[in-house]
Amino acid sequence: MAATAHYVTHDVSADPFGERSSRHLSVHKQLLGGRFRFESTSDELLDLVEAAYGGLPPQHLPIAAPDFRIELRLVPGRLLPNVIEPPPVQMQSGAGLLCGVMDASNYVVVMPAQQRALVVASEDMLGFPYHLRYELIEFAVFILATRGLGLVPLHSACVGREGRGVLLLGASGAGKSTLGLHSLLHGLEFLSEDAVLVHSETLLATGVANYVHVKADALRLIDDEAAHSWICQAPVICRRSGVQKFEADLRLGHGRLAAAPLKLVGAVFVSAESAEHFEELLTPVPKDEIAARLHADQPYAAGQPGWLSFQQKMVRMGAYELRRGAHPKASVDALQRLLDRLDSL
C-alpha cells in the first residue's frame, strides 16, 4: 500500500473534537471517474481501502474529475458483546448531509457539496471487515461519485466486449452474479457485479470490479478447474439476508476486467424462469413496457437527476429478457449473440 505520512501535534484540551491527529496517512485512488484521497491514522482502515480498490483499472470519464476526500477514523468504541454481525445501517439525511449509521461508534457522513466524507469505525468493527468495507467505506465512495459526477446509480451488473457493455438487471436472486461470473469465465469483459454508475448523456458505465460473490451450490456449474479452485479458496461472507457466499477477488487474473468505462448498447432483465429451448432464452421486451420495467427495477435511481435522459436513451436502444438455460454457458452464448447483433447495427 503506497501511503504518504503527515505529522501534526495533538493536544486533547485544544482539540476536543479530534480534528487533528499525530500521524496522518493518505492513499490516492482513481475510481468511478473521480480522484479519491483516503486519509487516516489507522493502517488497518487504509488496508481495507487497499483490499477494496487496490490493483483496479483506473476508470476515467470524459468530464472533469473532481477530487474527493474521505477521512477514515478508528475509535475505541465497542460493539455489543457476542454479536454475530454489526447492527444494520440506518439511513439519515439533513442539512446537506447523507448518513449511514450502525451505532454511535460506527457510521458514515457524506457531504456531497464539499466532496468529502467521514467514516468512523470502532476497533471491534475491524473484526467485521466485509461490513466495514462494503457498508461504510464503499457507501462513501459510491455516494460521492454519484453526486459529485452527476451519475445515475444502478443496482445492476455489467459485462461487455471491446468497449461496449450490456446492463444485467433483475431482482436479487435472479442470477445476475452467476451470469456475470460465467460471462467473465467465457471471455467477456467484467465491469461490475452489483453497482453500476452511468453518465446519462454519453451512456458510459463505470463500476468497481473488485469481487464477485458466488453461492456454494453454484460451484457445480463451473467446469474450469482453476476457476473452481480460485472460488473455493476465497473467504466466505454472510449477507444481511443470511445467505452465505464466497467472495472471490476478481483481480487474481481469472478473466478480463473492463479497463475503461463501457458504452452501453443494451439492457437485459435477468429472469429466474427457465427456458426449454435456446431460442426462448433471450426475447425482446416490448418498447412500450421498457420504461415501466426500468422504473420498477431501479426505484432509487428513478428519483435521481439524469434518470429521465438515461431512461429515454435506454428505451430507444431496446431491452431484452433473459431466461435461464440448462447451463449458464447457454445464457452467456445468448449475450454474445446479442452483442454480435448490436455490433452490426
Side-chain angles (χ1 to χ4, degrees), residues 17 24 50 65-66 74 102 136 232-233 261 277 313 345:
F17 294 100
H24 212 163
E50 198 66 25
L74 190 65
M102 288 181 175
L136 297 181
C232 285
Q233 293 173 17
H277 306 289
K313 290 180 175 66
L345 297 179

Side-chain angles (χ1 to χ4, degrees), residues 9-10 24 45 47 53 56 236 249 271 300:
T9 60
H10 183 225
H24 212 163
L45 291 179
D47 285 344
Y53 305 119
L56 289 173
V236 175
D249 195 328
S271 171
Y300 174 70

Side-chain angles (χ1 to χ4, degrees), residues 173 178 213-220 222 231 243-246:
T178 299
H213 296 90
V214 184
K215 290 182 181 180
D217 60 5
L219 290 172
R220 60 184 175 82
I222 298 174
I231 295 171
V243 175
Q244 292 188 333
K245 293 188 175 185
F246 292 101

Side-chain angles (χ1 to χ4, degrees), residues 6-311:
H6 308 279
Y7 295 90
V8 298
T9 60
H10 183 225
D11 183 338
V12 174
S13 63
D15 185 24
F17 294 100
E19 296 172 274
R20 299 185 295 274
S21 62
S22 59
R23 179 169 171 267
H24 212 163
L25 297 170
S26 63
V27 172
H28 299 259
K29 299 292 181 185
Q30 175 71 34
L31 302 167
L32 302 167
R35 295 186 296 266
F36 285 83
R37 176 179 175 178
F38 299 87
E39 300 176 341
S40 184
T41 62
S42 167
D43 290 323
E44 294 93 340
L45 291 179
L46 290 177
D47 285 344
L48 285 175
V49 171
E50 198 66 25
Y53 305 119
L56 289 173
Q59 293 275 324
H60 298 273
L61 291 168
I63 53 180
D67 292 307
F68 299 113
R69 180 180 171 187
I70 300 178
E71 181 180 347
L72 307 168
R73 186 175 298 179
L74 190 65
V75 299
R78 299 180 61 85
L79 297 168
L80 294 174
N82 303 318
V83 295
I84 298 175
E85 67 176 8
V89 174
Q90 302 295 320
M91 306 296 184
Q92 299 288 340
S93 66
L97 306 176
L98 299 174
C99 307
V101 180
M102 288 181 175
D103 60 24
S105 299
N106 296 281
Y107 55 89
V108 54
V109 180
V110 183
M111 298 151 276
Q114 288 76 37
Q115 299 175 352
R116 297 184 65 175
L118 170 67
V119 175
V120 176
S122 67
E123 292 176 346
D124 280 7
M125 191 66 184
L126 294 172
F128 300 91
Y130 167 75
H131 295 86
L132 174 49
R133 188 194 78 232
Y134 187 74
E135 297 184 350
L136 297 181
I137 297 175
E138 295 192 21
F139 177 100
V141 168
F142 277 94
I143 292 295
L144 285 176
T146 298
R147 302 298 175 93
L149 291 161
L151 306 178
V152 178
L154 303 175
H155 177 54
S156 165
C158 185
V159 297
R161 186 179 64 195
E162 298 178 351
R164 294 156 71 84
V166 174
L167 286 175
L168 304 180
L169 306 164
S172 295
K176 298 188 298 294
S177 294
T178 299
L179 179 56
L181 171 63
H182 284 269
S183 296
L184 173 82
L185 297 178
H186 291 94
L188 291 180
E189 298 173 18
F190 191 100
L191 180 73
S192 180
E193 179 194 45
D194 66 355
V196 178
L197 305 185
V198 180
H199 185 246
S200 60
E201 295 306 312
T202 63
L203 286 188
L204 285 171
T206 182
V208 175
N210 49 9
Y211 298 99
V212 65
H213 296 90
V214 184
K215 290 182 181 180
D217 60 5
L219 290 172
R220 60 184 175 82
L221 300 173
I222 298 174
D223 303 320
D224 183 270
E225 288 188 13
H228 194 280
S229 176
W230 159 56
I231 295 171
C232 285
Q233 293 173 17
V236 175
I237 59 93
C238 185
R239 298 283 202 189
R240 291 287 185 179
S241 63
V243 175
Q244 292 188 333
K245 293 188 175 185
F246 292 101
E247 186 175 59
D249 195 328
L250 289 161
R251 294 158 289 185
L252 298 181
H254 294 274
R256 290 189 299 162
L257 306 185
L262 298 179
K263 172 81 172 184
L264 294 181
V265 294
V268 170
F269 292 93
V270 181
S271 171
E273 182 181 342
S274 298
E276 293 186 9
H277 306 289
F278 182 81
E279 59 272 13
E280 298 174 350
L281 284 176
L282 193 69
T283 56
V285 175
K287 282 274 188 182
D288 59 357
E289 297 180 10
I290 296 175
R293 290 195 63 168
L294 285 171
H295 192 285
D297 192 77
Q298 302 292 328
Y300 174 70
Q304 301 304 306
W307 172 261
L308 184 59
S309 175
F310 164 78
Q311 178 182 263

